Amino acid sequence: MVLYPAAMWYRDIAPQPVKTAVRSFVRNIGEPVNALNSLLQGEPDQAADTVQRFIMNTTIGFLGFNDVAADFGIEYHSEDFGQTLGHYGIGGGPYIVLPLLGPSNLRDTTGIAVDYVANPLTWGSRNSDTLDALYLGSLGLTALDARYRTLNQLNELQQTSIDYYAALRSLYRQQRNAAIRNGADPSAPNFEDESASADFDDAFEAAAN
């Protein structure tokens, strides 16, 4: 009720340089968590690149509103604790739709909680009004940017799907599996295939009916 009209306004009113700056900022805010999860997944080089990106973009890039690290060829990597658990073979479990946050599963919901605790801004904001304002602002901009980037895809999915809920569940699982694999072959044995978790949901729905 709030994010959809806000995202529509953002899409139609905000100029592209503003959208690019916001996207860069919300990425930069999450870099400490990205670095930690890269390290936990056994990717020290990727973690080092992420730390370098954070330092460069926070300083030279003015709090990350400019992605100067990308100009130097330092690639962005998005990692979260849900992906870390998936990397080590932890299954997704039952599909969950979280209030405000949307599609998730038991594993990724746990990951959201761990990433929240691991985020330095979570603790820093409690001791500084400036950091508190920055943290709250980053949460709002992250939600707005995420909703804006999914406007067309979700609208099209809703219009073309016979069962929007099932289609969204399937799309979420595909997206998360791809994120866990980090570009690896889908048949690679080290990464899970969450299609098996559909059995739980199907059985639950059958029982409910």
Side-chain angles (χ1 to χ4, degrees), residues 142-186:
T142 299
L144 179 63
D145 175 70
R147 192 64 186 91
Y148 156 71
R149 289 185 294 107
T150 57
L151 270 176
N152 293 336
Q153 294 93 327
L154 291 182
N155 286 343
E156 182 178 351
L157 187 68
Q158 194 164 18
Q159 292 170 5
T160 59
S161 300
I162 298 175
D163 186 339
Y164 177 63
Y165 177 87
L168 191 60
R169 181 180 63 187
S170 176
L171 186 63
Y172 174 77
R173 285 178 174 149
Q174 292 175 38
Q175 186 273 332
R176 289 302 290 171
N177 279 334
I180 292 169
R181 289 195 301 268
N182 285 330
D185 189 319

Side-chain angles (χ1 to χ4, degrees), residues 94-167:
Y95 178 69
I96 302 171
V97 180
L98 299 174
L100 298 179
L101 298 179
S104 186
N105 55 43
L106 189 58
R107 179 199 60 212
D108 292 342
T109 300
T110 302
I112 291 172
V114 172
D115 286 338
Y116 171 79
V117 173
N119 191 334
L121 274 179
T122 301
W123 303 102
S125 63
R126 299 184 179 184
N127 303 313
S128 167
D129 291 339
T130 300
L131 285 178
D132 187 46
L134 179 65
Y135 183 53
L136 293 176
S138 71
L139 291 178
L141 287 177
T142 299
L144 179 63
D145 175 70
R147 192 64 186 91
Y148 156 71
R149 289 185 294 107
T150 57
L151 270 176
N152 293 336
Q153 294 93 327
L154 291 182
N155 286 343
E156 182 178 351
L157 187 68
Q158 194 164 18
Q159 292 170 5
T160 59
S161 300
I162 298 175
D163 186 339
Y164 177 63
Y165 177 87

